Amino acid sequence: MREERSDMSEDDDGGGEEKDSWAPGLGVAGKSRGAPDPLPPPLCDQVLENVIENVLQFLSSRRDRNAASLVCRSWYRAEAQTRRELFIGNCYAVSPRRAIDRFRCVRSLVLKGKPRFADFGLVPVGWGAHFSPWASAMAAGYPWLEKICLKRMSVTDDDLSLLALSFPFFKGLTLICCDGFSTAGLAVFAEKCRHLRLLDLIEDYFEEEEYEVVDWISKFPQTTTSLETLGFDCLLSAVNFEALEALIARSPALRQLRVNHHVTVDQLRRLMVLAPQLTHLGTGSFRSPEEGEGMEHEAHLVSAFAASRSLVSLSGFREVAPQFLPAIYPVCSNITFLNFSFAEITAEELKPVIRHCHNLQNFWVLDTVRDEGLQAVAATCKDLRELRVFPLDATEDSEGFVSDVGLTAISDGCRKLQSILYFCQRMTNKAVLTMSKNCQELVVFRLCIMGRHLPDHHTGEPMDEGFGAIVMNCKKLTRLAVSGLLTDKAFGYIGKYGKSIRTLSVAFAGNSDMGLRYVLEGCPKLQKLEIRDSPFGDAALLSGIHHYYNMRFLWMSSCKLSHRGCEDVARRLPHLVVEVIRDRPEADDEAVEKLYMYRSLVGRRNDAPPFVKIL
Amino acid sequence: MASGLRMEETELRLGLPGGGGGGEAEGVKNSGKRGFVEIVDLKLQLQTPVGVQEAAAEAAEKVRRSPNHDSIVSCGSDPEKPSPPKAQVVGWPPVRSFRKNILSVHSDKGRKEEGEKSSSLAALVKVSMDGAPYLRKVDLKTHRSYQELFMALQKMFSSFTTGDYGSQGMSGREFMNERKVKDVLHGSEYVPTYEDKDGDWMLVGDVPWEMFVASCKRLSIMKGSEAIGLAPRAMEKCKNKC
């Protein structure tokens, strides 16, 4: 029968970091465990349960908690009572009601919605992942809730208002890649949440017109605040700078501040002077609108950075004027995270900066620095754990400024590398093989050769061997994204050696059903599989029936699936929700354009839009 | 190639069942504000000879992509071979639209000359004035209030507002001088109006300046008699003053 012990994978977007998970598998066959006991346990059991509760309070990892909850009823109850952080990797896998019924004392909620490919426009607007039902359920069920983190959810201004009014102890809100809200919602939230410590807006979508923008920064309480983190670098509209300055001045606990691109370098300096205790700084535009007075500004800026002795993380640099870069030299040797991924700088401009960054562990950069820039990184940053190289021109025909040369240099210089995301147009199997041998700590390997079906640019061969070497040599690998010209052979390697892989991203790859079959039959730990534009059909889909209940989701778009095949799966796996998403509602083809399927304890959702058909 | 593709909608052609490549405009919008690029499928074998030549030239450029092919890439028949060159695909490469949008705006600004304001793009709108032989353009972003705007308009149209119009009431110069907006509107023959985003013609001065800048698409300075409801009062006041 089904394997019950599956747990949802952690959030590994950017490093394979461990987060708590929650085991829904219990509900499938062990439904009785979920229901409350009809009679209270006898006295001695109650005492035992209290003891267990006291012990379990110290367990924080959700994997450990899931394991503990499976021991017996008593432990299950005790664990449910003491779980403080609830992680739900797919908001449709469970209902708010069920979550609240089981876990009574949750203080912190992590909730994820849309599939990742929504970030690239593959999921039509209105698909779902609405936060509202969760917001209202939480308001009723968890009055002492303190923290919420949402990713790829649709959050309305009303939701924000409800949050602010319903939770008197609310401390922190993090919104990642969310949409549906505006500055009006932020204004209500800022005003009503009197004890707010954290507000972090990360790559959210704002769609308000200029005249609709509200001055939300002014709405924070006028007294000394408890703010520790304030991040709004994705906000499209400018904030009231005077109000921001005043807010910083009365927020002595502030450690993290990330401003948006409207903040000039002069304004930034003023803020830094008010908050020299900052550890994380998002620098905004890093440009001065008055070009002529650069020299004075530079001098003042340097002293502001020199005074910020605690800085470990720098980001922003959205319109960086290169003459201001030297200002950050005083902090370079301390910083562990540097995000230059919006800074169009050359290798020459990067070198003098990176030379000082001996302790850098996470580096995000644009490919404008070219292979030469990456060589400089490799020469200095011996402690580098994570590298992301983004393309300035993100089109498949673009020139591409980095190549196998840069990748090889990094692999030679940064032996502790754990996570890499690399966009390029020229790559060789040899370079990838070199990385697989040099960087044994790799947990995340995401290589995006932007031109579709591009082979090894030296040999003209497919990239099979390179990716094969990665899965073979990097024993700790849990996340893999492949690209370039790939045959079924590459998938054969993945299935054979990728025993720890949990997340796999495939695009424009493979020859036949065998490719997908290798993966589904060979990777026991696979949790998240997203595939686009690859020739995998119904037979391949069916080969994974034994495993789908162990996965969080499967996404397949522009493959060779048909309705018949998907219906087959839906019939055989009743606890799997099989969604067929149609871009053109009138086209009722036998071919399935987009398939999104996931396990769920609550069956089909009731908020599916017309273009989603649940089989 | 865009113009070539439009013709395809009217061409008779053989193609895969279920519709051709040009139909992606209808139907559900794929997160329209998120960098959506429609799928364009070039059916190269069915184009005119000119089209084929162009495609061949492009294919020759891209020959490095698929070294096993001859120069004209066929499509549709062989699923594992690459699509024709220049066909854009939704969501590829996988870069979040947030990042794509930011960098594309950035690169536009980068090309501006040094010294220019980089805070926001210009808001140039056409200005027409009754009786003036040609239109002008004004950048709303360079002004911070209605007063400033009117002063600029005065300078622009001063040559047209002396003479004939002066005899009927206040001269154009007096009309657009340093006064409060209310006075300007009520005390002269000319009524500044603007067309907003919804296509409606509105009186200038009702909404806050920022809102006006955001929604104004063009300006039109009408003669009092054309501005319904305001003309009689304006004329009245003119007569009293003169």
Side-chain angles (χ1 to χ4, degrees), chain A residues 284-302:
Chain A
S285 70
F286 221 65
R287 161 181 283 276
S288 181
E290 301 108 30
E291 300 289 342
E293 299 159 33
M295 293 296 281
E296 289 167 35
H297 292 175
E298 283 158 40
H300 291 149
L301 193 62
V302 173

Side-chain angles (χ1 to χ4, degrees), chain A residues 41 60 64 78-79 86 107 131 146 149 169 179 192 195 205 244 279 315 321 336 341 391 472 474 477 522 543-544:
Chain A
S60 52
D64 293 343
E79 193 283 312
L86 183 58
R107 299 269 192 277
F131 181 56
E146 293 175 359
C149 174
F169 304 103
D179 66 335
K192 305 289 184 201
H195 307 288
Y205 301 97
L244 177 64
T279 57
S315 59
T336 56
S341 66
M472 224 185 304
C474 301
L477 197 76
S543 71

Side-chain angles (χ1 to χ4, degrees), chain A residues 82-356:
Chain A
T82 56
R83 190 179 294 224
R84 294 283 177 265
E85 182 176 317
L86 183 58
F87 173 91
I88 295 174
N90 176 2
C91 63
Y92 288 121
V94 67
S95 68
R97 186 78 258 145
R98 278 190 81 130
I100 296 173
D101 280 347
R102 179 175 168 185
F103 301 105
R104 301 288 173 130
C105 305
V106 164
R107 299 269 192 277
S108 163
L109 172 73
V110 178
L111 188 60
K112 297 165 116 180
K114 296 174 202 152
R116 199 180 74 97
F117 274 0
D119 291 350
F120 315 123
L122 292 181
V123 176
V125 172
W127 174 82
H130 303 288
F131 181 56
S132 302
W134 289 87
S136 19
M138 297 287 147
Y142 292 146
W144 41 77
L145 193 66
E146 293 175 359
K147 283 186 72 172
I148 291 180
C149 174
L150 303 177
K151 188 166 186 181
R152 293 194 196 97
M153 300 282 301
S154 284
V155 182
T156 64
D157 286 342
D158 286 340
D159 294 335
L160 291 178
S161 182
L162 185 65
L163 287 184
L165 296 169
S166 310
F167 304 113
F169 304 103
F170 202 73
K171 295 205 174 79
L173 179 66
T174 306
L175 299 177
I176 308 171
C177 298
C178 293
D179 66 335
F181 64 100
S182 71
T183 49
L186 291 177
V188 175
F189 188 76
E191 188 181 356
K192 305 289 184 201
C193 250
R194 312 297 294 181
H195 307 288
L196 193 67
R197 293 193 191 170
L198 179 151
L199 177 62
D200 209 355
L201 307 172
I202 302 173
E203 296 200 37
D204 302 304
Y205 301 97
F206 288 89
E207 291 181 358
E208 42 191 355
E209 302 289 336
E210 260 190 68
Y211 61 85
E212 290 171 325
V213 170
V214 171
D215 179 10
W216 57 283
I217 289 283
S218 303
K219 300 290 190 294
F220 280 95
Q222 290 302 311
T223 56
T224 303
T225 76
S226 329
L227 270 183
E228 294 168 16
T229 298
L230 179 63
F232 57 92
D233 48 359
C234 60
L235 193 65
L236 292 180
S237 52
V239 299
N240 178 337
F241 182 73
E242 282 70 35
L244 177 64
E245 221 177 351
L247 176 65
I248 308 294
R250 62 179 192 277
S251 302
L254 198 69
R255 293 288 175 277
Q256 303 194 24
L257 176 67
R258 283 177 280 275
V259 300
N260 68 2
H261 61 287
H262 288 283
V263 173
T264 67
V265 74
D266 316 286
Q267 292 173 328
L268 178 73
R269 187 195 54 78
R270 283 159 64 176
L271 297 178
M272 288 177 72
V273 163
L274 290 171
Q277 76 280 9
L278 287 179
T279 57
H280 295 61
L281 178 63
T283 60
S285 70
F286 221 65
R287 161 181 283 276
S288 181
E290 301 108 30
E291 300 289 342
E293 299 159 33
M295 293 296 281
E296 289 167 35
H297 292 175
E298 283 158 40
H300 291 149
L301 193 62
V302 173
S303 58
F305 274 97
S308 301
R309 300 180 178 290
S310 312
L311 275 181
V312 294
S313 164
L314 279 182
S315 59
F317 305 103
R318 293 276 289 272
E319 291 159 34
V320 63
Q323 71 264 29
F324 291 120
L325 272 182
I328 72 172
Y329 290 170
V331 298
C332 279
S333 54
N334 289 338
I335 52 172
T336 56
F337 177 60
L338 180 57
N339 182 352
F340 268 167
S341 66
F342 292 100
E344 280 182 48
I345 53 176
T346 64
E348 287 316 304
E349 287 158 349
L350 176 68
K351 280 184 198 172
V353 175
I354 209 73
R355 209 159 34 90
H356 299 282

Side-chain angles (χ1 to χ4, degrees), chain A residues 408-578:
Chain A
T408 307
I410 291 289
S411 68
D412 285 337
C414 308
R415 298 298 174 105
K416 296 189 192 172
L417 199 66
Q418 293 172 4
S419 170
I420 183 161
L421 171 64
Y422 199 86
F423 284 86
C424 62
Q425 286 286 33
R426 294 150 62 90
M427 189 46 61
T428 62
N429 283 305
K430 185 173 173 204
V432 179
L433 175 73
T434 305
M435 175 155 272
S436 77
K437 293 217 167 116
N438 289 349
C439 302
Q440 290 291 300
E441 302 300 313
L442 272 180
V443 174
V444 174
F445 184 79
R446 297 155 73 189
L447 176 62
C448 181
I449 303 170
M450 293 191 282
R452 287 177 276 156
H453 309 286
L454 280 184
D456 179 322
H457 86 94
H458 276 161
T459 65
E461 283 173 4
M463 292 298 299
D464 298 339
E465 299 306 315
F467 284 104
I470 288 285
V471 288
M472 224 185 304
N473 298 331
C474 301
K475 309 279 193 291
K476 301 184 183 179
L477 197 76
T478 60
R479 183 171 181 182
L480 179 65
V482 300
S483 61
L485 183 65
L486 291 170
T487 70
D488 288 343
K489 205 168 168 203
F491 296 99
Y493 288 135
I494 295 173
K496 188 169 175 194
Y497 298 106
K499 298 305 177 187
S500 308
I501 290 183
R502 290 201 278 258
T503 306
L504 180 62
S505 262
V506 177
F508 305 102
N511 307 119
S512 73
D513 282 351
M514 277 319 294
L516 181 53
R517 286 186 64 169
Y518 285 139
V519 170
L520 290 171
E521 287 165 4
C523 301
K525 291 273 168 68
L526 194 63
Q527 302 264 312
K528 303 190 266 189
L529 180 56
E530 44 189 32
I531 303 173
R532 63 168 294 176
D533 294 273
S534 301
F536 306 135
D538 296 341
L541 187 69
L542 285 166
S543 71
I545 293 257
H546 66 286
H547 189 63
Y548 292 137
Y549 277 162
N550 294 346
M551 290 176 64
R552 189 184 297 175
F553 72 82
L554 168 67
W555 168 283
M556 286 178 71
S557 59
S558 304
C559 296
K560 291 190 165 325
L561 298 173
S562 76
H563 268 275
R564 210 171 308 125
C566 297
E567 276 157 9
D568 216 347
V569 174
R571 197 173 36 248
R572 283 152 75 158
L573 297 176
H575 293 284
L576 209 63
V577 175
V578 179

Side-chain angles (χ1 to χ4, degrees), chain A residues 68-86:
Chain A
S69 71
L70 294 174
V71 168
C72 66
R73 255 180 220 281
S74 190
W75 282 51
Y76 175 88
R77 274 194 303 268
E79 193 283 312
Q81 284 293 99
T82 56
R83 190 179 294 224
R84 294 283 177 265
E85 182 176 317
L86 183 58

Side-chain angles (χ1 to χ4, degrees), chain A residues 385-402:
Chain A
R385 311 294 164 95
E386 181 200 17
L387 175 68
R388 297 197 190 189
V389 182
F390 292 96
L392 175 69
D393 182 5
T395 59
E396 50 177 327
D397 299 328
S398 66
E399 198 187 320
F401 298 120
V402 296

